[in-house]
């Protein structure tokens, strides 16, 4: 297990947990950082912070300190269920 800030651009992870119960942790969960969801590290800003992520179809910028609170299991590529 690692944290979101340890991924390289283009890598995926499956969210295991978000540390804490304060307003920042709550906001991360409201934005879709919840256990079981796949997240992709898209890129960092030119100065290295914040980092852009994709979760639940949305692109979200998070600071590296916030990304260190999101624990993930790196995955090769998320499975997407077909809707037929």
């Amino acid at each position: 297990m690692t944290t979101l800030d340890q991924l390289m651009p283009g890598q995926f992870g499956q969210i295991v947990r978000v540390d804490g119960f304060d307003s920042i942790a709550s906001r991360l969960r409201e934005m879709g950082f919840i256990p079981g969801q796949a997240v992709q590290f898209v890129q960092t800003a030119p100065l290295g912070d914040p980092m852009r992520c994709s979760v639940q179809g949305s692109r979200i910028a998070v600071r590296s300190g916030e990304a260190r609170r999101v624990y993930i299991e790196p995955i090769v590529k998320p499975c997407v269920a077909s809707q037929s």
Side-chain angles (χ1 to χ4, degrees):
M1 185 166 32
T2 187
T3 54
L4 180 59
D5 65 309
Q6 298 300 310
L7 289 181
M8 300 299 292
Q11 285 187 311
F12 290 89
Q14 184 171 21
I15 298 168
V16 176
R17 71 174 196 271
V18 175
D19 258 1
F21 296 97
D22 58 3
S23 60
I24 293 173
S26 295
R27 183 69 182 136
L28 287 168
R29 291 183 190 100
E30 289 171 358
M31 291 190 297
F33 292 90
I34 54 176
Q37 287 295 320
V39 59
Q40 181 187 22
F41 175 20
V42 178
Q43 69 182 61
T44 59
L47 296 178
D49 199 25
M51 56 189 290
R52 185 183 304 177
C53 300
S54 178
V55 63
Q56 294 189 0
S58 298
R59 298 278 172 110
I60 300 169
V62 295
R63 294 185 178 110
S64 59
E66 297 163 346
R68 281 192 291 272
R69 300 173 70 164
V70 180
Y71 286 81
I72 60 165
E73 287 289 343
I75 56 176
V76 175
K77 191 173 182 179
C79 294
V80 177
S82 64
Q83 297 179 357
S84 54

